[in-house]
Amino acid sequence: METPLANLGSKHLIKKHEFVRVIIQCLYSLGYGKSAVCLESESGIDYKSDEFGTLESYIRAANWDACIDSVSRLNGLTNETRASALFLVLKQWLLEYLNRGDDSLALEILQKKISGLEVGKDKVHRLAFGFLSLKELGLDKVDTDIYDFRKNLLMELEKVLPPPITLPDRRLEYLVEMAVWSQINNCVFHNSVDAVSLYEDHHCNGSQFPTKTIQILSNHTNEVWYVQFSNNGSYLASSSSDFTAIIWKVLDDGKLSQRHVLRNHQKPVSFVAWSPDDTMLLTCGNIEVLNLWDVETGTCKHTYGNDGFIVSSCAWFPDSKRFVCGSSDPEKGIYMWDSEGNEIQSWKGMRMPKVLDLAITPDGEKLIGIFSDKDIRILNVGTSAERVISEEHPITSLSLSGDGVHMELPRFEAYSDLVWPFNDCELRELEP
C-alpha cells in the first residue's frame, strides 16, 4: 500500500499507480496504442489487471472451464455482478458450440449451467429463442468470425466487472470533465456556452454578466408574479396581482416597450406560457379561468375551464395546436385542450394527486408530471401507458432539456413542520 508521500498532487490524494493506469487507458481509447505500450513498459504498470489478463488468456484460448472458475473466484463481486459475468461467458461458450454445429452441447450448456443463474428469466428466454433464430444471436452470417465474438465478450466483461479489476470506460476524460464542470458551477459570473480551456482555471469576467439595470418596468399597478421571454426572444410577458398580464416588445437596443395589456381576469394572474411558435400566450391564476391570447392583436381567443379551476401549470405541445393544464385540486386533474377552445382529453379522479408542474417532451409523445405525493409520472399521450418514478423527497418543479433527454428537479426535504431546500438540483436522465 502506497504511503501518502508517494502519492501525487499538492495534497497527496492521487495514487501514482492508479493515475498512470488511467492515462494508459486514455491513450488506448484515443488510438495512441504505441504510446500506451511504451508507457506500460517504462512504468511497469499494465492497463489491464492481473485478474482480467488471466480471464483474457482463457477466453482467447477458449478454455471456458478455467474462465468460469476464474470468474467464480474473483474477490469483491456482488452476487448479481458475478452472475452477470458468468452469463456472458456461458453465452459465449454456447454460441461457439452453435457456430460449429454442436447443437446438443449448446443445449446442455443452456439447461445445466445457464438456467440456474440468477440473471432474469427474460435473458435466458431470449437465449433459448436464439436456437430457432440464429440472427438473434448474431450468427446468421456464413463468414462469422468467432474471434470478433471473443473480443466483444472481453469488452462486455470490462463493462460488468468493477474496479480495480477493470476501469470504467474513458475514466480520465470523465474525471477531467467533472473537474471542469465543478469550476463552471463555482463560477459566479458564468455566461458562456463555449468549451472551457484546460490550460488554466476557468473564470468568467464579471463585465460579461448583465449586472446593470437598464430599464425599470412600472406599468403594473401591483406585485409582478411571473415573467417569461418568448421562445424567439422578441417579446416578454409579465403577470401581476393587479389582474392583468402585459406583452412587451423587445427593441433593437435591448429595452422593452409595452405592446398589449391583457385584461380579462377577475383575479391575480400568476402564470404565463408562450406557444412554441410565439403566436399565442396562455395566462392563468389561482381559482381563475385560463385565457388564450393572440400575441399580434392582444385579443382573447378562448377561455378555458370554470371558476374554481385552480391552475398549477401549463405546457404546450410542439405543434402549438394543443396544450395541457394541471390543477392543484385533485378532483380536477389534468386537461388537454386545443387552441380552438375544445377539450380533447382529461386525466382525473380519486387516484390523481395534486399537480405541481407539467412538461411535454419535444417529440410531443410524453407528458411528464410532478405530483404532491412525491411521484414523477411519465404518460405516453398516444397509448396512455404510464410509468411512475417515486422520489424520497418532495419535488417542486421540473425543467426539461431541449432534446428531451434530461430533466432537472429541485428537491426539498422536510424537517418537522418545516420544509428546507437542498443546495442543489437533481439531474435525471429520461429513459425510454
Side-chain angles (χ1 to χ4, degrees), residues 2 4 15 17 22 54 85 111 143 152 164 170 192 206 222 226 288 293 296 319 350-351 383 386 421 430:
E2 295 183 352
K15 296 179 180 179
H17 180 277
V22 296
T54 300
Q111 293 176 334
D143 59 346
N152 290 335
R170 299 182 180 275
S192 173
N222 211 324
Y226 198 84
E288 252 284 11
W293 305 84
E296 182 63 29
D319 59 8
M350 295 299 294
R351 294 180 61 252
T383 65
E386 185 181 60
L430 188 61

Side-chain angles (χ1 to χ4, degrees), residues 51 70 123 219 270 328 358 360:
E51 297 93 336
S70 180
K123 287 186 177 181
N219 298 37
S270 60
S328 54
L358 295 173
I360 302 290

Side-chain angles (χ1 to χ4, degrees), residues 119-135:
V119 292
K121 293 182 179 180
D122 56 330
K123 287 186 177 181
V124 179
H125 289 166
R126 283 199 300 268
L127 201 55
F129 179 71
F131 278 93
L132 303 176
S133 175
L134 295 182
K135 185 176 180 180

Side-chain angles (χ1 to χ4, degrees), residues 264-268 285-291 303-311 327 329 332 335 337:
N264 199 37
H265 288 278
Q266 305 303 313
K267 292 182 176 66
N286 288 340
I287 319 179
E288 252 284 11
V289 294
L290 182 68
N291 287 325
T303 296
Y304 304 84
N306 301 312
D307 190 40
F309 188 84
I310 307 174
V311 177
S327 173
D329 183 346
K332 301 295 175 64
Y335 284 83
W337 284 297

Side-chain angles (χ1 to χ4, degrees), residues 144-181:
T144 298
D145 188 345
I146 203 66
Y147 296 102
D148 285 342
F149 278 109
R150 292 175 187 172
K151 183 178 179 180
N152 290 335
L153 170 60
L154 289 168
M155 294 172 61
E156 290 298 317
L157 285 173
E158 282 190 289
K159 297 177 182 178
V160 169
L161 296 175
I165 300 173
T166 63
L167 293 181
D169 190 39
R170 299 182 180 275
R171 181 61 179 169
L172 185 58
E173 292 178 40
Y174 171 81
L175 292 173
V176 173
E177 188 174 50
M178 289 300 99
V180 171
W181 185 247

Side-chain angles (χ1 to χ4, degrees), residues 19 33 42 56 103 108 118 141 169 175-176 185 190 231 243 249 268 273 294 298 303 320 340 378 397:
F19 187 68
E42 184 175 354
E56 183 175 11
D103 293 1
E108 184 178 345
E118 297 181 3
K141 297 181 180 179
D169 190 39
L175 292 173
V176 173
N185 277 342
H190 188 70
N231 298 287
F243 304 176
K249 174 65 177 175
D294 182 277
T303 296
S320 294
E340 300 302 320
I378 303 174
S397 62

Side-chain angles (χ1 to χ4, degrees), residues 182-241:
S182 177
Q183 290 187 17
I184 291 175
N185 277 342
N186 291 325
C187 180
V188 177
F189 299 107
H190 188 70
N191 191 28
S192 173
V193 295
D194 297 331
V196 174
S197 173
L198 298 180
Y199 296 150
E200 59 184 356
D201 290 342
H202 174 70
H203 176 70
C204 285
N205 192 321
S207 63
Q208 299 176 349
F209 199 84
T211 57
K212 296 181 180 179
T213 301
I214 62 172
Q215 188 178 6
I216 297 177
L217 308 176
S218 56
N219 298 37
H220 283 292
T221 60
N222 211 324
E223 297 175 350
V224 177
W225 283 5
Y226 198 84
V227 292
Q228 188 179 75
F229 277 101
S230 62
N231 298 287
N232 60 16
S234 298
Y235 296 96
L236 174 74
S238 61
S239 66
S240 170
S241 60

